[in-house]
Amino acid sequence: MDIRELKIFLTTAELLHFGRASQACNLSPSALTRTIQRLEEEVEQPLFLRDNRRVALSPAGEKFRIYARRAVQEWQAFRGVIKERETISGTLSIYASVTAVYSLLPRLLEAFRSAHRQVQLELSTGAAERAVTQVQSGEIDLAVAALPDRQQAPLEFLPIVNTPLLFIAPKQQNAAPLPMRDGEIDLRHTPLVLPQKGLSRRRLDQWLKTRHIAPNITSEVSGNEAIIAMVRLGCGIGVVPELVLARSPFRDEIRILEAAPQLAPYVVGLCSTRRNLQRPVVRAFWHLAEERSGIKVDF
C-alpha cells in the first residue's frame, strides 16, 4: 500500500459511498473498487461491509482508519520538514555570552550549519544580562539567556541546561576565615562582589531582603566573568553560575563555598520573539535545540 491508496481509503471511509468517493478522488468506480480490494488483500480482512442499500466500515476497517489517518499525517509532517529544510536560507543572528559560545552553542551551530549551509550565521558576544534586551529591541533573532522567573510576553524561551548558582572565594592558603553565623557565611560582614544587574543579583537581593540583611558590597561589575576575576584578586566573595566557573581560566584559583546561601539555579536556554519564530530560519534553529533539550519548565 502507499500514501495515495491510504488517502483513497480515508475518503471512502468518510463518504461511505463508492460512487461519491470515486468522484472525489477523480477515479472511475472500478479503479476505486480495485484499490479497496488491494488494501483488503494486504490487510487480509474486509474493510467495508456492503449491500445494496448501504456501506459501512467493518471492525477491521475502523482500526485501519486510525492507522491510515496517522500514517498520512506523519507523511505530511515529514514532507513539510524536508521541504522546509530544502528552502531555508537567509541570515540568522545570535547573541550569547562568551561562556555560552564555548559551552552551549558549538554543537548546535555545527549541526545547524551542516543541515542548512545556505544560511549565513551572525554571532555576537557580550554580557549575559543583555541577551533578552537584544532580542526585545529587534537587533538579534535569537539569544542564549537565563530563563526569567516569569514569562515575558511576547518572548518565547526554550530551556536547554540547568546550572547552579555558586558562592565563590579566592583559593588562598593564608586567607582569613570568613565570618560565620548559625553555620552559614555571615553576609552582613563578608565583602561581596556582585553583578550590577541580572537574575543572580535579583535572587540574592531577594534572599537578603527576606532576612533583613544589609550586605557589605565592595564592588559591582558587569558580567559573570568579571566577578570571577575580581574574586580571584581578593576583592570579596561572589555569586556565579557553575557553567561560567567551569569555563573560566581562573577556575583553579577559585574555591566554591559550601556553607553559603542556596539560591535557585539558572535555567539557560534560547530566547526569541514570537514574531521571529515565524521565520523558517529561526524556527529551524529553535527546533534543532528543542530536539537536544531534555529540560521541561512550567511557568
Side-chain angles (χ1 to χ4, degrees), residues 180-294:
M180 305 293 290
R181 183 186 178 93
D182 299 328
E184 194 172 71
I185 297 171
D186 187 358
L187 296 185
R188 294 178 178 84
H189 304 101
T190 304
L192 293 173
V193 179
L194 299 180
Q196 294 171 341
K197 56 185 178 180
L199 193 57
S200 62
R201 178 61 184 266
R202 291 195 297 273
R203 287 184 180 172
L204 180 58
D205 285 347
Q206 182 62 31
W207 188 92
L208 295 168
K209 182 179 179 180
T210 57
R211 289 159 179 79
H212 308 290
I213 295 176
N216 176 21
I217 301 174
T218 60
S219 181
E220 293 181 304
V221 300
S222 176
N224 292 309
E225 292 83 0
I227 293 176
I228 297 174
M230 295 293 283
V231 169
R232 171 179 171 269
L233 292 174
C235 299
I237 70 171
V239 183
V240 295
E242 183 181 53
L243 190 67
V244 178
L245 181 61
R247 292 284 174 172
S248 172
F250 303 131
R251 61 184 178 276
D252 294 332
E253 301 175 61
I254 296 295
R255 60 191 174 101
I256 300 171
L257 300 175
E258 302 295 340
Q262 298 296 310
L263 303 180
Y266 264 16
V267 180
V268 181
L270 292 182
C271 167
S272 188
T273 63
R274 295 170 187 172
R275 181 177 181 179
N276 281 344
L277 285 170
Q278 299 302 312
R279 295 177 53 213
V281 65
V282 179
R283 190 166 61 250
F285 192 90
W286 191 274
H287 287 169
L288 177 65
E290 197 169 29
E291 291 171 0
R292 294 165 176 257
S293 170

Side-chain angles (χ1 to χ4, degrees), residues 133-207:
T133 304
Q134 291 283 308
V135 174
Q136 288 176 321
S137 66
E139 298 177 52
I140 295 294
D141 297 322
L142 290 165
V144 179
L147 195 73
D149 292 325
R150 294 181 180 179
Q151 181 70 289
Q152 300 180 20
L155 296 179
E156 295 289 337
F157 289 86
L158 174 65
I160 295 178
V161 65
N162 266 328
T163 181
L165 282 173
L166 306 175
F167 280 81
I168 58 173
K171 188 185 290 184
Q172 297 174 352
Q173 297 293 334
N174 301 321
L178 295 170
M180 305 293 290
R181 183 186 178 93
D182 299 328
E184 194 172 71
I185 297 171
D186 187 358
L187 296 185
R188 294 178 178 84
H189 304 101
T190 304
L192 293 173
V193 179
L194 299 180
Q196 294 171 341
K197 56 185 178 180
L199 193 57
S200 62
R201 178 61 184 266
R202 291 195 297 273
R203 287 184 180 172
L204 180 58
D205 285 347
Q206 182 62 31
W207 188 92

Side-chain angles (χ1 to χ4, degrees), residues 17-241:
H17 191 287
F18 275 52
R20 288 198 294 268
S22 65
Q23 292 177 354
C25 298
N26 291 319
L27 292 172
S28 67
S30 59
L32 184 135
T33 299
R34 286 196 299 271
T35 300
I36 298 301
Q37 288 174 343
R38 281 198 300 271
L39 291 175
E40 290 178 328
E41 288 173 1
E42 292 192 52
V43 175
E44 298 181 348
Q45 293 283 336
L47 299 177
F48 292 94
L49 302 176
R50 286 162 278 183
D51 57 32
N52 293 330
R53 293 188 302 173
R54 60 189 293 269
V55 175
L57 282 170
S58 69
E62 293 284 2
K63 294 179 180 179
F64 188 72
R65 179 165 58 174
I66 296 173
Y67 161 78
R69 185 181 295 119
R70 185 184 302 119
V72 171
Q73 289 173 345
E74 290 180 356
W75 171 252
Q76 290 172 340
F78 171 75
R79 287 294 301 161
V81 170
I82 295 299
K83 184 177 180 181
E84 184 174 87
R85 289 187 177 182
E86 290 173 348
T87 59
I88 287 177
S89 61
T91 301
L92 177 65
S93 57
I94 302 174
Y95 178 93
S97 67
V98 173
T99 297
V101 170
Y102 288 146
S103 59
L104 297 181
L105 285 180
R107 291 185 179 180
L108 278 176
L109 291 174
E110 182 179 352
F112 184 81
R113 180 65 175 167
S114 177
H116 308 293
R117 294 192 177 277
Q118 295 183 358
V119 176
Q120 179 181 342
L121 293 171
E122 297 180 353
L123 182 60
S124 303
T125 61
E129 58 267 21
R130 295 186 59 230
V132 173
T133 304
Q134 291 283 308
V135 174
Q136 288 176 321
S137 66
E139 298 177 52
I140 295 294
D141 297 322
L142 290 165
V144 179
L147 195 73
D149 292 325
R150 294 181 180 179
Q151 181 70 289
Q152 300 180 20
L155 296 179
E156 295 289 337
F157 289 86
L158 174 65
I160 295 178
V161 65
N162 266 328
T163 181
L165 282 173
L166 306 175
F167 280 81
I168 58 173
K171 188 185 290 184
Q172 297 174 352
Q173 297 293 334
N174 301 321
L178 295 170
M180 305 293 290
R181 183 186 178 93
D182 299 328
E184 194 172 71
I185 297 171
D186 187 358
L187 296 185
R188 294 178 178 84
H189 304 101
T190 304
L192 293 173
V193 179
L194 299 180
Q196 294 171 341
K197 56 185 178 180
L199 193 57
S200 62
R201 178 61 184 266
R202 291 195 297 273
R203 287 184 180 172
L204 180 58
D205 285 347
Q206 182 62 31
W207 188 92
L208 295 168
K209 182 179 179 180
T210 57
R211 289 159 179 79
H212 308 290
I213 295 176
N216 176 21
I217 301 174
T218 60
S219 181
E220 293 181 304
V221 300
S222 176
N224 292 309
E225 292 83 0
I227 293 176
I228 297 174
M230 295 293 283
V231 169
R232 171 179 171 269
L233 292 174
C235 299
I237 70 171
V239 183
V240 295

